[in-house]
Amino acid sequence: MQLQLQPCSCQSPSPRHLTSSSLRSAALEQRRRRPSRPANKCVVRAGKTADGPTVAIVGVSGAVGKEFLRVLTERNFPYKDMKMLASARSAGKQVDFDGQHYTVEELNEQSFKGVDIALFSAGGSISKKFGPLAADQGTTVVDNSSAFRMTEGVPLIIPEVNPEDIGSLKAGQGGIIANPNCSTIIALMAATPIHKAVGIKRMVISTYQAASGAGQAAMDELELQTREVLEGKQPTTQIFPFQYAFNLFSHNSPMGPNGYNEEEMKMVKETKKIWKTEDVAITATCIRVPIMRAHAESLNLELASDLSESKAKEILSSAAGVSLIDDREHNRFPTPLDASNNDDVYVGRIRRDISRQDECGLDLFVCGDQIKKGAALNAVQIAELLL
Ligand SMILES: NC(=O)c1ccc[n+]([C@@H]2O[C@H](COP(=O)([O-])OP(=O)(O)OC[C@H]3O[C@@H](n4cnc5c(N)ncnc54)[C@H](OP(=O)(O)O)[C@@H]3O)[C@@H](O)[C@H]2O)c1
């Protein structure tokens, strides 16, 4: 099947090698467009076609589920039919996609009859229960939860990094493919081109993670708290036990006995699986910051051999899905707003690690939209590999 990957006219241009004035106008343009870009109003229509797959969205009412619909539209993803699935809470609600109204159905054991591809984003327990059940019925599952990421035999895919690991899996033939953790995807989009060029021996990661990573309810709470704090009210704390607005805190995932939380350990384990090596040392500190929807990460890389700054820039500027914003003169580097609603992962602050005597250390600062490239876009790109 021929995929038509047309750029969506409502996407900002990729700021690869932008000058400072064009960067400023690109940033202004992004800000101008963002509020006026409601879901499903993109002018490119998704490709309803008789020989496309039937696609189910599991968790369509959630933050990632809504983003699936936008990304499928933007990428003109071919489909024969769509099924919108969520919990009983959303059953009966209307969802608009590609100019048609769909009624959300409650997920159950019968939901996958005739479904070729299911995009899951309804939490790990739902994936564990319904993923294998769907796969047994011939549905090929692309799962956004952590349920199967480390399961042997389940490919863990970033399409720009390890598309070959998907093997012979195809739409409508069963099987489960896992989408990596959003922080892992964003880090590896930048680190993998360097790793492939010279080898990375050790990686020290610090994250600055957005509310969107904790779902729609966390985004709503950040907005509400911001208003409450500005109005001098006590902030509502239902999702996180702390005040989130005007604050930051260690990632809310469970803490392990070694003092690392689950998010940090996901980055360590998933990177080794995706790079197919145990010979890389990784440590991470994951922090939740009051940003709405894009993660930032600082990466300190110890390289297996010398790499100059200019060569690193050259490698990153030709990497798929990566854009550079690295303007030292104007102190202009990636921000979460640059990444928000955009496909690419933005990289800057590309500099030699001066704590080393050699040229085997490199620092990077990376921003990526974690609902998009960290979740929905990556999953849809995986689905494209199944066609
Ligand atoms: N947010 C991210 O950036 C991100 C990134 C990577 C992976 N993920 C993963 O994606 C999943 C969803 O995340 P999210 O941020 O989209 O969460 P969310 O905004 O809280 O949405 C959760 C979705 O799951 C549905 N759901 C909950 N219980 C269900 C049930 N019993 N049966 C069917 N559907 C059910 C909800 O439906 P109702 O509205 O009907 O309750 C909703 O559509 C999680 O596994 C998360 O770890 C999220």
Side-chain angles (χ1 to χ4, degrees):
M1 185 182 303
Q2 191 70 27
L3 242 192
Q4 291 177 307
L5 297 182
Q6 297 171 2
C8 173
S9 64
C10 58
Q11 257 185 290
S12 304
S14 188
R16 197 180 291 268
H17 302 308
L18 290 175
T19 63
S20 57
S21 64
S22 61
L23 265 174
R24 265 191 300 278
S25 53
L28 282 173
E29 179 68 356
Q30 275 187 11
R31 270 195 283 280
R32 189 180 64 75
R33 290 176 187 205
R34 199 170 296 120
S36 60
R37 192 183 165 206
N40 310 322
K41 298 291 181 205
C42 197
V43 294
V44 174
R45 293 167 65 83
K48 192 167 171 71
T49 164
D51 62 350
T54 292
V55 177
I57 313 282
V58 182
V60 70
S61 52
V64 177
K66 289 176 197 157
E67 195 64 25
F68 274 140
L69 299 181
R70 278 191 281 266
V71 172
L72 290 167
T73 307
E74 284 176 8
R75 296 183 75 84
N76 204 25
F77 190 89
Y79 70 97
K80 183 167 68 188
D81 203 359
M82 295 289 294
K83 249 187 163 182
M84 308 298 184
L85 302 168
S87 79
R89 289 178 289 275
S90 304
K93 288 186 183 164
Q94 295 290 305
V95 171
D96 288 346
F97 174 71
D98 195 21
Q100 281 193 11
H101 302 306
Y102 292 83
T103 303
V104 177
E105 298 170 39
E106 182 181 355
L107 174 67
N108 64 41
E109 281 79 359
Q110 317 306 320
S111 297
F112 299 99
K113 275 192 187 138
V115 172
D116 300 300
I117 297 175
L119 303 173
F120 271 67
S121 67
S125 57
I126 299 295
S127 293
K128 276 188 189 143
K129 180 172 175 194
F130 289 96
L133 190 146
D136 284 349
Q137 294 177 37
T139 302
T140 311
V141 171
V142 183
D143 183 37
N144 254 290
S145 81
S146 57
F148 305 107
R149 286 181 191 148
M150 296 311 296
T151 305
E152 219 182 308
V154 172
L156 184 63
I157 302 288
I158 305 173
E160 292 86 348
V161 171
N162 60 336
E164 67 286 354
D165 289 348
I166 207 161
S168 57
L169 287 174
K170 288 284 165 210
Q173 296 178 6
I176 298 176
I177 301 135
N179 209 54
N181 171 269
C182 47
S183 303
T184 309
I185 292 175
I186 291 162
L188 296 197
M189 284 295 291
T192 304
I194 304 288
H195 181 57
K196 286 183 175 166
V198 291
I200 291 175
K201 285 167 64 178
R202 181 166 183 262
M203 180 155 58
V204 180
I205 307 168
S206 302
T207 72
Y208 312 79
Q209 297 185 218
S212 52
Q216 189 60 52
M219 296 166 83
D220 294 344
E221 185 157 295
L222 175 58
E223 194 176 325
L224 174 67
Q225 280 195 6
T226 304
R227 248 188 267 113
E228 288 171 332
V229 173
L230 290 174
E231 288 167 5
K233 294 181 186 159
Q234 189 65 23
T236 306
T237 52
Q238 280 169 354
I239 305 300
F240 300 117
F242 314 100
Q243 177 179 325
Y244 189 11
F246 307 101
N247 195 13
L248 58 80
F249 48 86
S250 185
H251 194 276
N252 46 295
S253 55
M255 182 61 64
N258 62 358
Y260 283 77
N261 60 47
E262 270 184 12
E263 183 83 354
E264 291 159 354
M265 290 311 297
K266 282 176 189 173
M267 296 193 80
V268 172
K269 292 176 187 166
E270 292 177 19
T271 297
K272 291 179 179 186
K273 177 166 177 175
I274 292 165
W275 283 358
K276 301 179 203 67
T277 181
E278 286 297 318
D279 293 337
V280 55
I282 303 163
T283 182
T285 302
C286 291
I287 303 293
R288 191 74 78 184
V289 297
I291 295 288
M292 200 51 86
R293 65 165 285 162
H295 289 353
E297 302 182 23
S298 150
L299 310 183
N300 175 262
L301 310 177
E302 181 182 334
L303 309 173
S305 57
D306 291 5
L307 184 69
S308 66
E309 285 176 355
S310 57
K311 185 68 187 163
K313 282 183 193 173
E314 195 184 308
I315 291 166
L316 288 165
S317 64
S318 58
V322 172
S323 286
L324 299 196
I325 303 180
D326 198 53
D327 180 352
R328 291 182 185 177
E329 194 190 338
H330 298 93
N331 200 7
R332 182 65 174 90
F333 301 107
T335 68
L337 281 183
D338 292 316
S340 292
N341 293 301
N342 282 320
D343 290 0
D344 278 7
V345 166
Y346 296 85
V347 186
R349 304 294 323 270
I350 301 164
R351 64 203 191 280
R352 199 177 71 74
D353 175 356
I354 57 164
S355 71
R356 301 178 60 92
Q357 302 306 311
D358 56 20
E359 285 207 36
C360 293
L362 191 71
D363 281 299
L364 307 175
F365 187 69
V366 182
C367 290
D369 184 322
Q370 55 71 231
I371 301 193
K372 207 165 192 198
K373 182 54 189 166
L377 171 61
N378 198 74
V380 171
Q381 288 176 299
I382 292 172
E384 288 168 359
L385 296 173
L386 297 170
L387 299 176

